[in-house]
Amino acid sequence: MKFFRIFSVAALMFIAASGLSAKDRLVEKSGKTPDWLMTSGQDSFSVFSQDDDINAARDRCLADIRQYIVNSIASNITSVETSTTGSDNMDGLEKLYSTYNSELKTAAAKLPFLTGITLSNAQEVYWEKYRRKEDGTFYYKYHVLYPFTLQERNRLIKEFKEYDAGQYGKLVELRESYPVLSDVSMIDKGIRELEPLVEYFFDDVRKQEAESLLKTYRKAYSLISVVPVSQELGEFTYCLMLDGHDITCSKAPQMRSETATALELKPDGRRYRLTYDYSYCYPADDNYVLLSYSFPGASLKYRHEFDVSQKENRVLPVGFIEIDRPLADSTGTAEMTISLRSKADGKFSVGNVHFSVPSAGIKADVTDFRDFEGKGTKLFRCMIPLPEAEVKSARGMVSGTMDIRHSDGKTDHVTFTLPYSIKIH
C-alpha cells in the first residue's frame, strides 16, 4: 500500500506534466508506445524521468530504480520485524530496524550488493523526444521497466540483514579487543576499521557506540607509558604499558644523551633493552638517556637518569626492589628483597636502607645491617611496614640510599634509583 501511494503520486505528476506539455510536439521516440508506462506489478515496476539531456534522464531513472528497491527492502524489514520486536533477535538489532526506518533507507543505499543494479538489467526501455513550442528547444521523457520479483526482494532483505549484523559484529569484536591490545599496530588497525563503521551505522545507538570506541582507540596513544623493569650502570630494561598491560611497538624511539655514547636498543621478548657506554661520563655531569616515541596525535618521552659514581662501588643494588605480601597477612608488614651485585672478595654488611613510595603508603627505614661475603649476587631481605589500607599491586621507580661497610673499615654511601614491584597475592 505504501508503494502504491508513492507511485500514485508519481502518476499524477506524470499526467500533470503531460498536460503542461500538450502544446509541445513529439518529434521522435524509441519505438511503439508500451502499455507498462507508470505501472508497478509483482514482478516488475516502471520509473520515469524528464530532462533536456537524455543521459541525465537515464541516470535519474537508475537512481529512482535503486531508491525503489531500497524503500522496498527497508519497508519490508520494518513490517516483518515489527511483529518480532518482543523476541530477542540478533542482540536487539530487530528493534533498531523497526525504530529507525527512515535512516535504514539511507543506509541500505550504501550496501555493496546494490551496486549490481544497472540499466543493462532493465526489462524494457522506452523514450520520447519533444520540441517545446515556446522556444524550440528539446527535452526527453525516459521510461524504464525494471524486473523485481518477490524472490529477489527477499534475497536482498536477507543479504541486508546479514551484512548489517556483520558490521555490528565487527564493532563488538573491536570493543572486546581493546583491553588486550598487544601491539601499537593493533591501535592503528582498530582506528582504520572503526572509521567506516561510524560512517555506516544509521541508528543513533550503534553510531554513538562506534564513535565512543573510536575516541577510545585514538586516545590510547596518549595512555602508553614507559615502565622500568631493571637497570644497572650501562644497561636499562623497560616495557611499554597501556591500561595496566604490556604492549609492544615495532617503531623504535629516538634516543639522545649529552654524555653517554654508543646508544643501542634491542627487543628482549616483550621488553626493550637499552645499552650505552658511560666511559666518558663524570659524576658532575647531567647523565641521562632520553627516549622519545612519536604516535599519531601523541608523543611519549622518558628520561632515564644514571649515576656513574657507583662504578667505583664494590657492592651495588641492582634489578627490582620486590615487596611481597600475602593478602592473608594481617601484620601490616611486607617482605622486601633487594638484589646486590658484589665485586668484593671479603666480608661486607649492608644496612641503613632508606626510601619511600608515598603513593603506595611505603616508607622504608631499615637501620639494621645484614652480613654477606664474597662476589656474586646477594639478596638483602627484611620486613617493612605496609599499611593494609594502602595495599594494592603496583610498579614504578624509587630513589633511595644504603650504606655498605667493608671488612677493610671503609663505608660506601650508595644512592640508587631502581624499579620497584609491589605484589599482593
Side-chain angles (χ1 to χ4, degrees):
M1 183 62 68
K2 187 173 186 178
F3 294 117
F4 177 76
R5 289 198 302 270
I6 293 173
F7 280 88
S8 294
V9 172
L12 290 174
M13 292 176 63
F14 171 68
I15 294 171
S18 299
L20 292 174
S21 62
K23 297 179 182 180
D24 299 336
R25 185 165 61 91
L26 175 64
V27 296
E28 187 181 358
K29 62 180 182 178
S30 60
K32 182 181 177 181
T33 303
D35 58 3
W36 48 261
L37 300 185
M38 306 306 296
T39 62
S40 178
Q42 290 187 345
D43 296 326
S44 62
F45 63 93
S46 67
V47 294
F48 157 75
S49 179
Q50 179 177 311
D51 199 279
D52 290 356
D53 182 271
I54 190 171
N55 293 323
R58 182 175 60 236
D59 291 343
R60 287 185 182 179
C61 282
L62 179 58
D64 288 344
I65 289 169
R66 289 182 173 173
Q67 192 59 53
Y68 179 98
I69 293 175
V70 165
N71 291 349
S72 178
I73 293 172
S75 296
N76 280 278
I77 286 177
T78 301
S79 62
V80 170
E81 305 310 339
T82 299
S83 63
T84 63
T85 52
S87 60
D88 184 14
N89 294 315
M90 295 166 52
D91 296 325
L93 292 183
E94 314 298 10
K95 291 184 179 180
L96 293 176
Y97 294 141
S98 299
T99 306
Y100 301 100
N101 182 32
S102 61
E103 290 84 356
L104 182 64
K105 293 177 184 178
T106 302
K110 305 174 185 178
L111 298 180
F113 50 80
L114 291 181
T115 58
I117 299 175
T118 66
L119 289 184
S120 62
N121 297 325
Q123 190 171 329
E124 287 187 49
V125 172
Y126 172 75
W127 55 264
E128 296 174 338
K129 182 179 181 180
Y130 285 85
R131 180 187 179 93
R132 294 186 180 91
K133 182 178 180 180
E134 62 271 18
D135 57 10
T137 58
F138 297 94
Y139 63 90
Y140 294 86
K141 293 182 178 180
Y142 206 92
H143 302 263
V144 178
L145 180 65
Y146 201 87
F148 190 54
T149 64
L150 179 62
Q151 292 77 13
E152 176 69 4
R153 187 200 69 185
N154 291 339
R155 181 185 70 82
L156 291 177
I157 289 173
K158 180 175 180 293
E159 289 189 26
F160 179 91
K161 293 177 66 176
E162 289 175 350
Y163 181 84
D164 188 79
Q167 296 299 95
Y168 187 67
K170 290 180 184 179
L171 178 63
V172 173
E173 183 178 352
L174 288 166
R175 185 178 65 230
E176 294 176 347
S177 296
Y178 179 81
V180 291
L181 294 174
S182 60
D183 189 85
V184 172
S185 64
M186 296 178 68
I187 302 176
D188 304 334
K189 181 174 179 291
I191 291 174
R192 289 196 303 271
E193 293 181 356
L194 279 166
E195 287 175 339
L197 291 180
V198 170
E199 178 67 22
Y200 166 75
F201 288 128
F202 48 86
D203 57 279
D204 291 341
V205 176
R206 293 182 300 171
K207 180 177 284 290
Q208 289 175 6
E209 185 179 350
E211 289 173 342
S212 176
L213 187 58
L214 180 58
K215 290 180 182 178
T216 299
Y217 267 79
R218 286 174 173 165
K219 186 180 178 181
Y221 294 117
S222 64
L223 301 180
I224 299 173
S225 61
V226 170
V227 176
V229 173
S230 64
Q231 71 170 4
E232 58 183 88
L233 198 56
E235 182 179 311
F236 172 58
T237 301
Y238 68 92
C239 64
L240 297 174
M241 300 288 289
L242 170 63
D243 283 352
H245 68 275
D246 66 308
I247 187 169
T248 58
C249 181
S250 59
K251 183 180 179 181
Q254 292 184 342
M255 298 179 292
R256 182 173 65 85
S257 177
E258 300 294 336
T259 54
T261 59
L263 306 179
E264 186 176 10
L265 185 70
K266 292 183 177 180
D268 183 11
R270 295 187 61 80
R271 299 172 176 178
Y272 301 91
R273 182 170 173 264
L274 167 67
T275 57
Y276 55 90
D277 184 356
Y278 57 90
S279 302
Y280 302 100
C281 299
Y282 297 93
D285 294 336
D286 184 12
N287 297 309
Y288 68 91
V289 177
L290 182 65
L291 303 171
S292 299
Y293 283 92
S294 179
F295 303 120
S299 61
L300 170 62
K301 296 183 184 297
Y302 185 85
R303 180 182 167 104
H304 169 64
E305 299 179 356
F306 56 92
D307 181 9
V308 294
S309 63
Q310 60 181 290
K311 64 184 178 182
E312 305 299 331
N313 295 336
R314 287 172 282 179
V315 178
L316 295 172
V318 296
F320 265 94
I321 297 177
E322 297 181 357
I323 301 171
D324 185 273
R325 174 178 173 178
L327 279 173
D329 188 343
S330 59
T331 63
T333 60
E335 183 180 55
M336 178 185 71
T337 303
I338 302 178
S339 296
L340 306 170
R341 182 169 296 170
S342 171
K343 297 181 286 185
D345 290 319
K347 295 181 179 180
F348 61 92
S349 300
V350 178
N352 281 337
V353 179
H354 303 284
F355 68 87
S356 64
V357 185
S359 61
I362 296 175
K363 184 175 178 60
D365 290 305
V366 183
T367 56
D368 296 341
F369 280 76
R370 305 287 191 274
D371 296 329
F372 302 95
E373 183 176 359
K375 296 179 180 179
T377 300
K378 315 295 179 182
L379 298 178
F380 178 90
R381 289 192 175 97
C382 65
M383 303 302 292
I384 62 172
L386 186 61
E388 186 174 357
E390 304 291 344
V391 169
K392 63 179 179 179
S393 297
R395 290 199 292 180
M397 292 290 290
V398 65
S399 296
T401 60
M402 66 171 55
D403 289 339
I404 301 171
R405 297 172 180 171
H406 296 278
S407 56
D408 59 7
K410 292 183 178 180
T411 297
D412 293 331
H413 184 70
V414 177
T415 299
F416 60 83
T417 300
L418 294 173
Y420 69 86
S421 171
I422 302 175
K423 183 179 180 182
I424 309 299
H425 58 93

